Amino acid sequence: MPGHLIRRLNQISTGLFMERMADAGLALTPVQFAALNALVEHSEIDQATLAGLVAYDRATLGKVVDKLEARGLVRRAPAPNDRRAKQLTLTEAGRALFDTALPHVRAIQPEMLAGLSEAERRTFLDLLDKATLAANDRSRAPLKPRTG
């Protein structure tokens, strides 16, 4: 069944990610990397926007940001247009960790789909993207691309 296979592939990809980070001496989880990546691409965003960009619920992402902030990788400050919201900024240390991790993350991508040819990988990723986007509104934490 698709759900079981998707769960298994997630276990495999998470295991490969964690193993590669450990081998590189980097303390980083997949969601932490996703958060850093979003902050590289979208500087100075609020936590709710970050949650939408990485398709994580706000409460869980808040804990992730707490850990990143405690490590000095991100900075939180009141948003200039809404004092209740927290604006997130990637620190130099956060950018350095991202830059160090990125080649490792790129290197493991083919391993996640071992056994597939390059053409099969492209087809699989296209279909996975299509299925994910089609069901995005059914997620408890839908992907919310930033507009504007």
Side-chain angles (χ1 to χ4, degrees):
M1 292 193 179
H4 175 73
L5 294 173
I6 292 165
R7 182 186 62 79
R8 288 283 300 129
L9 191 55
N10 181 59
Q11 288 175 321
I12 291 164
S13 67
T14 299
L16 287 169
F17 183 97
M18 297 305 293
E19 182 179 317
R20 180 62 67 103
M21 292 302 113
D23 289 349
L26 302 174
L28 196 61
T29 67
V31 70
Q32 289 171 344
F33 178 81
L36 294 178
N37 186 59
L39 288 168
V40 165
E41 294 178 5
H42 307 278
S43 62
E44 300 181 346
I45 57 176
D46 63 66
Q47 213 164 286
T49 300
L50 179 61
L53 288 170
V54 299
Y56 249 72
D57 66 90
R58 288 183 189 188
T60 302
L61 191 71
K63 293 174 186 169
V64 171
V65 172
D66 287 344
K67 290 179 182 179
L68 294 174
E69 184 181 34
R71 293 175 57 194
L73 303 173
V74 300
R75 191 178 310 94
R76 259 191 264 210
N81 57 344
D82 182 354
R83 305 302 274 175
R84 296 169 297 163
K86 297 295 183 190
Q87 181 172 289
L88 304 173
T89 306
L90 192 64
T91 65
E92 286 183 29
R95 181 61 195 232
L97 177 58
F98 174 81
D99 289 343
T100 301
L102 185 58
H104 297 286
V105 173
R106 286 184 175 149
I108 61 172
Q109 298 309 300
E111 295 175 49
M112 292 178 187
L113 300 177
L116 300 181
S117 69
E118 185 57 38
E120 289 170 329
R121 281 186 205 135
R122 281 193 302 273
T123 299
F124 178 77
L125 290 173
D126 287 345
L127 292 171
L128 191 57
D129 187 52
K130 183 177 181 178
T132 303
L133 288 174
N136 189 50
D137 63 337
R138 295 180 183 163
S139 173
R140 68 182 182 102
L143 180 69
K144 296 177 185 172
R146 191 169 187 204
T147 56

